[in-house]
Amino acid sequence: MQLSIAILAGGKSQRFGQDKAALFLPGIVTECLATGLPLVVIGRSSHPELPASVRCFPDALPNQGPLGGIITALQVTQGPVLALACDLPELRREAILWLIQSWEQAENIEILVAAHPQTNNTPQTNNTPSSLEPLFAIYSPACLPTAQQLLLAGRRSLHGLVQHSRWKEALLPPELAAQLHNVNTPDDLQRGR
């Protein structure tokens, strides 16, 4: 099955105060297209600044957060998806290719999720939700039934989906970790620069 990239862009950007996807999507799309993989944007019907080769799909299940976006992405691509948040302005092609290579080396898993290496200042283990990056992860269609069951049960956490699936973490190389600085507030944007 062909791997596709799915950028989740259906959020409301309430903490940011304006549409994050309008600001960050064009740059992230450029980096994703450089991989040569098919690309979809989930949570949008269209975006005026995107190339025609980028297909946009509204959330099949509106207002269900990133879990609803993952479900939509798996349904429309009918293959594994590398899921990305739309608020990663520092993300570059090299990080995407690293995750793809990690996926190609993994066996018998439904989800490969990037994880930050632990430092002496970080008390949790690599398997704790705070070190995982579920919006820099690859989801196999095999996890779709679990995702749908969790959503029906009102449990929309991507960490929950990971924990209820066959998964593996891919430890981020230090030189790539900064590329996953997501932007939730205007202060986050300033700190990232």
Side-chain angles (χ1 to χ4, degrees):
M1 283 188 275
Q2 170 73 48
L3 177 66
S4 299
I5 299 174
I7 302 172
L8 303 188
K12 297 179 181 171
S13 304
Q14 292 174 325
R15 291 179 284 171
F16 193 72
Q18 61 180 326
D19 185 8
K20 292 189 290 186
L23 289 174
F24 303 131
L25 256 181
I28 294 172
V29 164
T30 298
E31 296 298 325
C32 291
L33 289 175
T35 68
L37 291 175
L39 174 63
V40 295
V41 174
I42 304 297
R44 302 282 162 147
S45 298
S46 65
H47 191 286
E49 295 180 42
L50 299 183
S53 64
V54 178
R55 299 176 308 163
C56 294
F57 296 91
D59 282 317
L61 306 161
N63 303 313
Q64 297 303 313
L67 183 60
I70 297 291
I71 291 170
T72 301
L74 288 168
Q75 290 172 334
V76 300
T77 64
Q78 297 186 352
V81 294
L82 190 160
L84 299 173
C86 73
D87 60 357
L88 299 171
E90 303 300 321
L91 185 66
R92 298 293 173 263
R93 176 180 174 262
E94 64 183 336
I96 298 167
L97 292 175
W98 166 82
L99 189 60
I100 293 166
Q101 182 179 30
S102 299
W103 173 256
E104 291 169 348
Q105 296 170 356
E107 294 181 15
N108 196 32
I109 60 169
E110 297 172 336
I111 300 171
L112 177 72
V113 60
H116 292 277
Q118 301 304 301
T119 66
N120 292 336
N121 298 332
T122 311
Q124 63 269 38
T125 68
N126 285 340
N127 293 342
T128 61
S130 60
S131 71
L132 300 177
E133 290 284 352
L135 287 178
F136 188 64
I138 298 179
Y139 295 83
S140 161
C143 76
L144 183 57
T146 302
Q148 292 168 323
Q149 290 170 352
L150 289 170
L151 193 64
L152 284 173
R155 298 170 61 197
R156 301 184 318 179
S157 165
L158 287 181
H159 289 104
L161 174 59
V162 169
Q163 296 297 330
H164 284 88
S165 302
R166 288 187 326 271
W167 68 284
K168 180 182 177 188
E169 66 183 19
L171 288 178
L172 280 159
E175 66 273 15
L176 299 180
Q179 293 184 33
L180 298 187
H181 170 75
N182 71 324
V183 177
N184 291 313
T185 67
D187 287 343
D188 290 342
L189 182 60
Q190 292 305 317
R191 278 193 294 274
R193 291 188 172 160

